[in-house]
Amino acid sequence: ITSFLIELAMSCLCLFFHFFILLPTPSPCLIRVLSHPHMRVRAQANIEQSLDWLTRGVGAGYSLLLHYSGHGGQEVDTSGREEDGMNETILPVDWRAAGMIVDDVLHDKVIRPLPAGCRLTAVFDSCHSQSVLDLPWIYRDREHDEYRTAHKMDTGGFVGRAAQEMAGKKLSSVSALASLATGILAHEVVYLGTKHARRTLSELENCSLGDVFQLSGCRDEQTSADTTMGGEATGAMSYAFVTCLSEKPNQTWSELLFNMRKLLHEGPKKFKQVPQLSTGRQVDLTTTMVEVVTTE
């Protein structure tokens, strides 16, 4: 992690504390930075302990920020609960020895402890990060044509899945064609039923009591790019987040997401990743992101 990336993360914290109400300026006792050398020993354990620290003793009126910029991954889900059949993960420095931290663990440690009236803003600048907190609601942009389907991978729908099933198959008779068509339709019924069941289960089990907003660097099947800004290495999504929020703090969640996407896609480097916005429960994302509350 470069010094520039750490500065970006601290900029996130300063913006958050300045505009979101807890204190006029951040207090060191309320911030934990895990890039310090002593925190990189037993990194996985330190991350999990720090996640517990973040939510310990919180109540209504608390505002929290979690920022992760690092490696992300995936592994096969064996529970049958993930819509895409994969768990999303983050990779601590010692992940080869200690293991990755999966989305189920992140959700249990960060989301479940939050009471009603508590607010968490999570920023994940990592690969495969769209559902890394297993939040049930994903924002769909209905205002901008270029991003109407940006929340999901374009597989071609039923036609695309049918074409995939038919690829390489030789049809020597009408009966063979009919059999294949029957198989495709049966597969589609199972696919849609499983997808609906997993989504419903997620909404029932993973809905949060607190207000949770997660900005992620990309969809689950995508990767989040590293880049260089001002001669220093950083994450493209972190740079877009800080830049857009610094230029206009008082914007809606949907507006911030659109501006981040536009900056990444129309800037000089033309990034392919599509930042995402997820929530722990159904909320109005056209409301102003920043709550300005003066402190005495």
Side-chain angles (χ1 to χ4, degrees):
I1 300 178
T2 67
S3 58
F4 184 63
L5 190 54
I6 295 171
E7 288 176 11
L8 275 178
M10 295 306 293
S11 295
C12 293
L13 286 166
C14 291
L15 282 168
F16 180 78
F17 275 93
H18 178 68
F19 292 110
F20 278 81
I21 57 316
L22 283 184
L23 295 169
T25 54
S27 169
C29 66
L30 297 178
I31 300 173
R32 183 170 291 191
V33 180
L34 299 188
S35 59
H36 294 158
H38 72 278
M39 298 297 288
R40 301 184 71 176
V41 179
R42 300 180 64 250
Q44 189 219 45
N46 282 327
I47 289 175
E48 294 194 8
Q49 289 168 9
S50 295
L51 295 176
D52 293 335
W53 165 84
L54 179 66
T55 59
R56 187 179 301 127
V58 299
Y62 277 69
S63 289
L64 312 174
L65 174 68
L66 171 62
H67 177 262
Y68 173 80
S69 187
H71 290 298
Q74 290 180 305
E75 66 177 23
V76 175
D77 169 54
T78 58
S79 70
R81 295 169 182 261
E82 296 285 346
E83 193 171 320
D84 62 353
M86 302 295 288
N87 281 321
E88 280 62 52
T89 67
I90 61 173
L91 280 64
V93 175
D94 60 348
W95 72 273
R96 293 186 186 279
M100 299 184 287
I101 302 177
V102 300
D103 48 14
D104 299 332
V105 171
L106 293 171
H107 185 91
D108 288 344
K109 285 186 172 292
V110 178
I111 309 303
R112 292 200 190 283
L114 301 179
C118 181
R119 176 173 177 157
L120 169 70
T121 300
V123 181
F124 278 82
D125 187 357
S126 53
C127 299
H128 315 295
S129 52
Q130 180 178 29
S131 63
V132 73
L133 288 181
D134 270 350
L135 300 179
W137 304 102
I138 298 172
Y139 173 70
R140 302 182 180 187
D141 189 339
R142 293 183 171 89
E143 296 181 28
H144 307 96
D145 290 340
E146 66 268 41
Y147 292 125
R148 285 187 182 275
T149 59
H151 61 284
K152 62 181 181 179
M153 179 174 61
D154 183 10
T155 60
F158 170 69
V159 174
R161 289 188 290 274
Q164 204 170 31
E165 287 281 325
M166 295 176 65
K169 291 185 171 62
K170 295 181 179 180
L171 304 176
S172 56
S173 65
V174 174
S175 61
L177 177 61
S179 177
L180 177 60
T182 301
I184 289 174
L185 289 174
H187 183 272
E188 185 69 9
V189 169
V190 172
Y191 169 80
L192 292 176
T194 302
K195 181 178 180 179
H196 176 73
R198 287 174 173 172
R199 184 172 296 170
T200 301
L201 184 63
S202 175
E203 292 173 6
L204 289 173
E205 291 195 342
N206 293 346
C207 188
S208 64
L209 292 176
D211 295 325
V212 180
F213 304 87
Q214 179 199 339
L215 285 163
S216 52
C218 61
R219 292 194 302 262
D220 281 343
E221 87 282 0
Q222 292 183 315
T223 56
S224 287
D226 295 325
T227 187
T228 302
M229 297 294 178
E232 293 279 357
T234 184
M237 184 268 193
S238 292
Y239 176 79
F241 172 70
V242 172
T243 299
C244 292
L245 197 55
S246 298
E247 291 177 352
K248 186 181 178 183
N250 192 29
Q251 56 188 308
T252 66
W253 284 99
S254 55
E255 186 181 6
L256 173 63
L257 182 66
F258 173 73
N259 288 335
M260 289 172 59
R261 288 172 170 177
K262 188 175 181 180
L263 177 61
L264 290 178
H265 298 160
E266 297 182 10
K269 297 194 177 182
K270 302 290 189 299
F271 294 100
K272 300 297 184 183
Q273 67 193 75
V274 187
Q276 301 293 314
L277 173 60
S278 306
T279 62
R281 58 190 184 91
Q282 287 185 301
V283 293
D284 182 5
L285 295 174
T286 62
T287 56
T288 303
M289 173 190 176
V290 173
E291 298 176 27
V292 180
V293 178
T294 59
T295 54
E296 299 296 335

